[in-house]
């Protein structure tokens, strides 16, 4: 539901706050953003007044502020059909060799024998000895298991293309990427004065460094981890820039499997139980934050989009699979269209205060798939003819979608939404 907030806000100024969620979060947010771009008249997601990104949301915010539309990012990050721009999640799966080497170098001599002796003691003695052995073993582990530098280099390359920037100081409007200073526990807004000399790509990888999985990212003399450790979406950052409306996307909600035929989290393994625990904490904390904005920013509007709690397709998706990323992005696109249609009566007056409106004819009109089916042959993609046909197919898909969306508006004598159908 929309939440009324702001004090020094200005109607018509719009901000976007994107939460994290890893590969799953990125795929969900891109599908949802495509739905918003198509269905909300007057909304151009590349021409907003403030952008805030956390974790995976930082990557998307960096693209939007550089003029890359959500539809274009679907091509780049989800469909993975362009060798120049494709962002393969496998980039984030390279072991952090330096961290492992550092951990081994710092291990005291004979530590392996010490741990082994502890395990022998545990097997023959009380439980306390087992915990002592485990504690000794954990001290040998590195600060992170995965190296995020390949993803950072890829993002830096994408942002260095003509017409884009990897410099906070050269963006058209404020961009804030939030990370957590791991030594102090405080959130840091990269892009703010004093933190705007850091490359956007470096800030994004710091904001995405999940504790335990990625090593803390060193920037200057400090080390940073996931920006979601303090808040979920950091919508207050956008509100402090005087926007009257903040659109928030949060991909991570706890799964409600209470139905008789629902899949049970309690029977799905430790990783699923941990995911449910984290999502529950994130969603609870965000609810408190949204309520607080009523007091701290009276007069502004915050509108939240997120998955339904009973959506098992999103919760149980294997996001490391290319086909799963395609399916999830498509799923989020259609679910967000349904959400806009169901909440139309509540959202319309909120959006109207900022010069926006929901086009019901777009939502009720059938549209082509957002994410195209994978090409049947890898060999065909490798040939020049195959690549040319693929580009032609994309152009025809885009034209077909644009005609479907703007046709009813033109017939009624109304302008189309900015950015609708743009790739």
């Amino acid at each position: 539901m929309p939440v009324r907030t702001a004090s020094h806000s200005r109607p018509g100024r719009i901000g976007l706050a994107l939460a994290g969620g890893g590969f799953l979060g990125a795929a969900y947010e891109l599908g949802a953003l495509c739905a918003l771009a198509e269905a909300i008249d007057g909304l151009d997601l590349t021409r907003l007044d403030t952008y805030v990104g956390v974790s995976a949301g930082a990557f998307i915010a960096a693209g939007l502020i550089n003029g890359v539309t959500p539809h274009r990012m679907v091509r780049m990050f989800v469909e993975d059909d362009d060798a120049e721009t494709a962002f393969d999640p496998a980039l984030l799966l390279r072991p952090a060799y330096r961290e492992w080497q550092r951990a081994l170098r710092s291990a005291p001599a004979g530590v392996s024998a010490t741990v082994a002796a502890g395990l022998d003691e545990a097997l023959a003695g009380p439980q306390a000895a087992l915990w002592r052995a485990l504690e000794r073993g954990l001290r040998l582990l590195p600060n992170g298991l995965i190296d995020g530098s390949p993803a950072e280099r890829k993002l830096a390359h994408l942002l260095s293309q003509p017409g884009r920037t990897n410099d906070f100081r050269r963006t058209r409007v404020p961009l804030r990427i939030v990370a957590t200073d791991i030594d102090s526990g405080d959130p840091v807004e990269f892009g703010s004065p004093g933190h705007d000399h850091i490359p956007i790509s470096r800030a994004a990888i710091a904001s995405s460094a999940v504790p335990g999985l990625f090593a803390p990212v060193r920037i200057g003399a400090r080390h940073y981890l996931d920006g979601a450790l303090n808040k979920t979406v950091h919508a207050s950052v956008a509100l402090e820039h005087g926007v009257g409306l903040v659109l928030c996307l949060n991909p991570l909600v706890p799964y409600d499997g209470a139905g008789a035929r629902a899949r049970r989290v309690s029977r799905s393994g430790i990783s699923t139980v941990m995911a449910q625990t984290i999502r529950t904490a994130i969603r609870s904390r965000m609810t408190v934050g949204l309520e607080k904005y009523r007091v701290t920013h009276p007069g502004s509007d915050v509108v939240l989009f997120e998955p339904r709690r009973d959506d098992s397709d999103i919760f149980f998706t294997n996001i490391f699979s290319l086909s799963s990323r395609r399916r999830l992005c498509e799923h989020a696109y259609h679910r967000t269209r349904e959400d806009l249609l169901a909440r139309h009566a509540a959202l319309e007056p909120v959006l109207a205060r900022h010069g926006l409106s929901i086009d019901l004819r777009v939502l009720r009109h059938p549209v082509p798939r957002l994410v195209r089916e994978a090409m049947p042959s890898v060999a065909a993609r490798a040939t020049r003819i195959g690549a040319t046909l693929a580009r032609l197919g994309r152009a025809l898909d885009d034209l077909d979608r644009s005609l479907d969306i703007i046709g009813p508006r033109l017939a009624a004598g109304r302008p189309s939404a900015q950015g609708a159908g743009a790739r």
Side-chain angles (χ1 to χ4, degrees):
M1 294 295 295
V3 178
R4 291 299 309 275
T5 55
S7 48
H8 57 292
S9 62
R10 288 165 48 188
R13 287 176 55 82
I14 303 171
L16 180 67
L18 301 174
F23 305 145
L24 181 150
Y28 170 85
E29 289 181 346
L30 288 175
L33 288 171
C34 286
L36 298 180
E38 293 176 2
I40 299 181
D41 267 340
L43 179 66
D44 184 345
L45 291 169
T46 66
R47 303 294 297 178
L48 301 181
D49 299 287
T50 301
Y51 296 84
V52 181
V54 179
S55 191
F59 284 79
I60 298 176
L64 292 171
I65 203 169
N66 274 284
V68 185
T69 68
H71 290 80
R72 177 58 179 154
M73 280 191 270
V74 169
R75 299 288 192 234
M76 296 164 63
F77 301 153
V78 178
E79 294 183 339
D80 193 28
D81 63 352
D82 189 322
E84 177 64 22
T85 61
F87 198 99
D88 186 355
L91 287 173
L92 294 176
L93 300 180
R94 193 177 79 174
Y97 296 112
R98 290 183 179 179
E99 291 297 323
W100 283 100
Q101 291 172 352
R102 185 179 298 111
L104 291 175
R105 286 197 301 267
S106 63
V111 70
S112 297
T114 301
V115 173
L119 288 174
D120 290 339
E121 176 187 349
L123 292 175
Q127 292 183 346
L130 175 60
W131 290 114
R132 286 196 297 270
L134 290 175
E135 182 182 8
R136 293 167 187 163
L138 289 174
R139 291 175 184 172
L140 302 180
L141 293 177
N143 289 336
L145 306 179
I146 298 176
D147 182 8
S149 58
E152 179 186 353
R153 289 193 294 270
K154 181 65 174 182
L155 181 60
H157 171 73
L158 294 175
L159 297 183
S160 67
Q161 300 306 302
R164 303 174 188 169
T165 182
N166 197 25
D167 190 334
F168 283 105
R169 298 164 294 188
R170 299 181 62 185
T171 57
R172 180 184 57 83
V173 295
L175 167 66
R176 298 293 183 263
I177 293 177
V178 184
T180 301
D181 185 323
I182 194 58
D183 290 309
S184 69
D186 296 328
V188 174
E189 298 174 21
F190 288 103
S192 63
H195 297 283
D196 55 359
H197 62 289
I198 306 302
I200 294 173
S201 56
R202 185 66 172 171
I205 207 67
S207 180
S208 304
V210 178
L213 191 59
F214 292 88
V217 175
R218 181 173 180 175
I219 298 179
R222 310 297 293 180
H223 291 80
Y224 300 90
L225 284 173
D226 198 328
L229 295 181
N230 281 280
K231 295 182 182 179
T232 304
V233 294
H234 291 271
S236 59
V237 176
L239 291 170
E240 290 302 324
H241 283 84
V243 297
L245 170 66
V246 182
L247 302 176
C248 300
L249 272 70
N250 171 44
L252 300 183
V253 297
Y255 174 65
D256 183 0
R261 297 185 177 180
R263 187 171 174 180
R264 301 288 183 177
V265 172
S266 56
R267 302 173 183 172
S268 301
I270 183 62
S271 61
T272 305
V273 171
M274 290 299 298
Q276 178 79 326
T277 303
I278 293 171
R279 287 163 180 256
T280 301
I282 285 175
R283 188 61 181 83
S284 174
R285 183 177 60 187
M286 187 175 64
T287 300
V288 173
L290 293 177
E291 290 297 327
K292 186 177 69 174
Y293 299 149
R294 296 176 184 271
V295 177
T296 59
H297 297 82
S300 286
D301 295 297
V302 178
V303 178
L304 174 66
F305 295 94
E306 60 184 2
R308 287 171 35 176
R309 291 193 55 182
D310 62 351
D311 195 331
S312 60
D313 289 339
I314 290 181
F315 186 82
F316 293 102
T317 292
N318 173 18
I319 201 59
F320 291 101
S321 160
L322 176 59
S323 61
S324 293
R325 297 204 308 274
R326 291 171 177 262
R327 186 170 58 254
L328 176 58
C329 187
E330 185 76 25
H331 181 76
Y333 170 70
H334 289 285
R335 286 293 180 267
T336 304
R337 288 171 58 91
E338 294 171 3
D339 187 27
L340 285 169
L341 190 58
R343 298 167 62 191
H344 167 259
L347 291 177
E348 188 64 24
V350 177
L351 297 177
R353 286 195 285 270
H354 308 280
L356 306 176
S357 63
I358 298 176
D359 194 328
L360 294 176
R361 285 173 298 182
V362 169
L363 296 176
R364 291 168 177 163
H365 187 76
V367 295
R369 286 179 55 88
L370 173 66
V371 182
R372 298 187 323 280
E373 297 287 352
M375 294 183 66
S377 171
V378 175
R381 295 180 59 187
T383 65
R384 185 173 301 177
I385 295 177
T388 301
L389 291 176
R391 287 194 295 272
L392 177 60
R394 287 196 295 269
L396 292 175
D397 285 346
D398 293 345
L399 178 60
D400 189 23
R401 175 180 296 278
S402 298
L403 290 174
D404 278 334
I405 293 170
I406 69 175
R409 291 176 178 152
L410 294 177
R414 297 172 57 201
S416 62
Q418 297 180 20
R423 303 293 175 112

